[in-house]
Amino acid sequence: MSFDPGMLHSNGHTAYANGTGPGIREIGVVEKLLTSYGFIQCSERQARLFFHCSQYNGNLQELKIGDDVEFELSSDRRTGKPIAVKLLKIKPEVLPEERISGQVGPDLHAYPFTVLHGYIHPVVSSIPMHLDGKSAPGQVPTGSVCYERNGEVFYLTYTPDDVEGNLHLDTGDKVSFYMDTNKHTGAVSARNIQLVKKKQMRCQGVVCATKEAFGFIERADVVKEIFFHYSEFKGDLEALQAGDDVEFTIKDRNGKEVATDVRLLPQGTVIFEDISIEQFEGTVVKVIPKVPTKNQNDPLPGRISARIGFTDKELPFGEKDTKSKVTLLEGDHIQFNISTDRRDKLERATNIDIYPDTFDFTKETREMGVIAAIRDGFGFIKCVDRDARMFFHFSEVLEESQLHISDEVEFTVVPVGPLYNLFAKDMLSAQRNHAVRIKKLPKGTVSFHTQSEQRFVGVVEKELVATSNKNTSPTRGKEKETEEGTIAYEDCGVKLTVPFHAKDLEGGGLPQAGDKVEFSINEVKRTGLQSAVSIRVLNRNSSNTKRLHGFVATLKDNFGFIETANHDQEIFFHYSEMCGDLENLELGDTVEYTLSKGKGNKVSAEKVTKVAAVNGIGDDVVATVMMGKVIRPLRSVDPSQTEYQGLIEVAEEGGVKGQNYPFGIMGMANKADCLQKGELVKFQVCTVTQTAQKMACNVVPQRRAMVECVKDQFGFITYEVGESKKLFFHVKEVQDGLELQTGDEVEFSVVLNQRTGKCSACNVRRVSEGPKPVATPRPDRLVNRLKSITLDDASAPRLVIVRQPRGPDNSKGFNVERKTRQPGVID
């Protein structure tokens, strides 16, 4: 270890650490001085030495406590203890009072400096700081500054008390200071240190905003944003986006700090905050306003009250601190984590989540409803207590449950603020209240009505009347609208009336005026309107017009025909006279109706109602199955004929050959089948109960024909229907998913399209496969000629090579060896 004695004195003496050899000089400080003796504190080691004043070489009057002296070490002859002898006062070096410029040393070590002859231990550092901002226990925190003089670098120590302005100096900072010498130790140190210029350091941050040619970075060292221009970004500018971690250098430009030399860092490098592992419970005492005020600059406007440890705290939070976008209300019971900002130690609540029992703490009014419509990101709720549908956004659904149409939900209604209206999908949704804090309920929880348990008995005062709507048809699937009827009844001696609708009837047939009925009363919750439900007719009024039964025989675009109960006529009806759902009306359905006469004295059916099915034709069905031939189709197949019934002629020995049996729509095994004149059928004979007439029933056509052609998804069967000699079919109508080929024999049914009037085949079943296509053999003349050819035959065809063939690899000829054909032999 080397020292510079010139830094402490100029007499050229040298001292060593042990100080025990003869003639070896040490230095020290006069610690105590009495009349004839005193004590010296050694500067180079921990020792306190006695000296006698006779050993001082000089004027004793000039020697004072604190003076630096040089001496030799000896021992007392009597006691053997070490003493100082040959004392010589050292002239103190006068240090310059001008300020010296220097620099704070690089790294830090938290052990005290050792100084010998004024030399400073060559470890240079800023003052050590622990996580709590304090020095290591039992040690005084020290750092070092260095300066240059005459080409030589010197190092001086300093403590926090030596820095002016209570600043924390970092390694590399430029400073100015005065030099000071410790009277006791002789160590030279720096004092009155002033910061001249901070070292230019690399800072870190996160890109928080990007514009067209510039952006902003949120700094990781202070709560502040800094500007940067894209020209300062070193990397792929196309990949730069908000949220990227970056490092940069701060420079002053036009009096403002800007970030330069901006470079990307791995994602997750920059961490602004520490989030607690423990979760806490709390209560929302202030919510984030939907419409911020003009003077609101607080980025964390919300407040949560919680008891943490044994202290009540109020923590702020912002929009990004909630786990979901569900609206928070004052009084909400929530759980959260605590986030501590590393830059300013600010604590805030984050990861805020609503407890399921929060509705027990808030004063909000909860409503119920059913999901009526769902769009992209939003939907509408049909409310129990409101007429209008309620708009909601998917972000307001609790527990991240998936909602579907008809799901039952519970929600809170809040008015929409003016700022929120600006982002509404349309002006209509902006004017409404919105549903928030939506919770899915179990099926059967929500009810729009209340129904009385008591059953009432009354009389129909006004019967149902169908509204006229010429455009309604089964193909549109619309339910027939009817005007409501009225029932008069008594309750506790008070005469009352209640309306009723066709959908609330039980059993078949519409009640007529004067009919006695039994019913319950249903009340709509949101309006209080009452109506009769579960209506059952007890007694019919004998004076009412007689209701007839029939069977649907034909369905056209907006009208149809009903086959009478005797199966011998058809009655016209318009769809406007149908009470109930037209979509479920099919051929063969049993209906109840009333006859009326319209213009031209034409009979038609009105107040048509679908009822439970009754026996089709009769009970007495002969077991024998007979073969027959259709000699007259139903009028729905051939509208030009006057008779409604079709006619079948017996064609085998099972019955009287040539005997005819009529049939109607109820006699068909398949009500949609379109029997043509001349078709062979199998059938049975039954007796109509009302008229005792013998009729054909369970009629099944016996159609067989050949497939003429198949083209992709459809084909044609060689079968004459009306004027057409081909019958169309779709491959979906082929049973068992078979692929039909031309010539296959098939069985099928024929159906008539009521809208187009054209027939097509359905239920196509293959009976037998057609003949497989066989390759056409060579003609005999060609075979005979090949057999008669010889190699010497001059008239035989010759092969002349015009150009040698070349393969893909540019090789000549063929790779396969060719053999000479033998005359008369066919390969």
Side-chain angles (χ1 to χ4, degrees), residues 383-580:
C383 305
V384 171
D385 301 319
R386 298 172 185 260
D387 292 330
R389 298 195 304 176
M390 191 65 59
F391 173 89
F392 74 93
H393 199 275
F394 284 170
S395 61
E396 290 290 347
V397 180
L398 294 168
E399 301 173 358
E400 298 182 357
S401 54
Q402 188 71 26
L403 291 183
H404 303 87
I405 292 179
S406 299
D407 280 349
E408 300 175 12
V409 292
E410 182 184 63
F411 55 92
T412 302
V413 178
V414 296
V416 184
L419 183 64
Y420 199 93
N421 287 349
L422 298 176
F423 303 98
K425 294 289 183 182
D426 49 45
M427 290 304 297
L428 182 61
S429 62
Q431 296 169 1
R432 296 175 175 170
N433 292 331
H434 284 194
V436 298
R437 302 157 66 86
I438 300 167
K439 181 180 179 181
K440 190 174 179 180
L441 299 175
K443 286 288 185 184
T445 305
V446 177
S447 175
F448 290 87
H449 311 87
T450 56
Q451 185 171 327
S452 65
E453 296 181 359
Q454 180 183 357
R455 297 284 288 177
F456 298 88
V457 176
V459 176
V460 176
E461 190 176 78
K462 176 186 174 184
E463 60 188 61
L464 294 170
V465 179
T467 59
S468 179
N469 190 345
K470 302 297 182 182
N471 297 325
T472 307
S473 67
T475 58
R476 291 183 175 87
K478 295 181 180 178
E479 186 176 350
K480 186 70 204 79
E481 295 181 359
T482 58
E483 292 183 1
E484 62 184 19
T486 306
I487 299 173
Y489 70 103
E490 286 190 7
D491 185 17
C492 299
V494 180
K495 291 185 177 181
L496 302 169
T497 59
V498 64
F500 72 96
H501 304 87
K503 63 182 179 63
D504 298 317
L505 298 174
E506 291 183 354
L510 292 175
Q512 306 296 313
D515 288 351
K516 188 176 182 181
V517 293
E518 183 184 47
F519 60 93
S520 298
I521 293 180
N522 180 74
E523 182 176 331
V524 180
K525 287 184 178 180
R526 68 172 181 272
T527 61
L529 295 177
Q530 294 182 339
S531 62
V533 296
S534 304
I535 304 168
R536 185 164 57 88
V537 178
L538 298 178
N539 293 315
R540 293 280 186 182
N541 187 1
S542 58
S543 62
N544 286 341
T545 305
K546 185 178 180 182
R547 300 282 287 171
L548 303 175
H549 281 85
F551 311 94
V552 177
T554 308
L555 291 173
K556 298 290 185 180
D557 245 0
N558 49 23
F559 64 91
F561 290 91
I562 298 173
E563 182 182 284
T564 61
N566 295 335
H567 312 287
D568 56 352
Q569 298 182 54
E570 61 178 357
I571 306 296
F572 170 88
F573 76 98
H574 195 275
Y575 289 159
S576 61
E577 295 293 339
M578 181 67 195
C579 300

Side-chain angles (χ1 to χ4, degrees), residues 30 182 201 219 358 360-362 379 426 431 616 652 672 778:
V30 177
N182 190 308
M201 299 177 61
R219 293 171 58 174
T358 187
D360 299 333
F361 295 86
T362 58
D426 49 45
Q431 296 169 1
E652 64 168 22
R778 292 182 176 182

Side-chain angles (χ1 to χ4, degrees), residues 561 567-571 631-647 663:
F561 290 91
H567 312 287
D568 56 352
Q569 298 182 54
E570 61 178 357
I571 306 296
I631 59 175
R632 186 179 71 203
L634 291 173
R635 190 158 64 185
S636 59
V637 177
D638 183 9
S640 61
Q641 67 186 37
T642 57
E643 297 86 356
Y644 161 71
Q645 291 179 319
L647 207 59
F663 69 95

Side-chain angles (χ1 to χ4, degrees), residues 206-210 215-219 225-226 228 241-244:
V206 174
V207 177
C208 58
T210 55
F216 292 91
I217 300 171
E218 185 175 357
R219 293 171 58 174
E225 292 181 4
I226 188 168
F228 76 98
Q241 58 185 353
D244 285 344

Side-chain angles (χ1 to χ4, degrees), residues 95 253 347 439 721:
L95 297 177
R253 288 184 181 170
E347 290 185 341
K439 181 180 179 181
V721 179

Side-chain angles (χ1 to χ4, degrees), residues 370-386:
V370 174
I371 302 297
I374 290 178
R375 302 288 186 267
D376 185 15
F378 64 95
F380 294 90
I381 301 173
K382 181 182 178 183
C383 305
V384 171
D385 301 319
R386 298 172 185 260

Side-chain angles (χ1 to χ4, degrees), residues 626 631 648-651 655-661 683 685 694:
M626 294 185 286
I631 59 175
I648 298 175
E649 182 183 33
V650 178
V656 180
K657 190 172 182 179
Q659 186 175 358
N660 298 335
Y661 290 98
F683 68 96
V685 177
K694 301 276 187 186

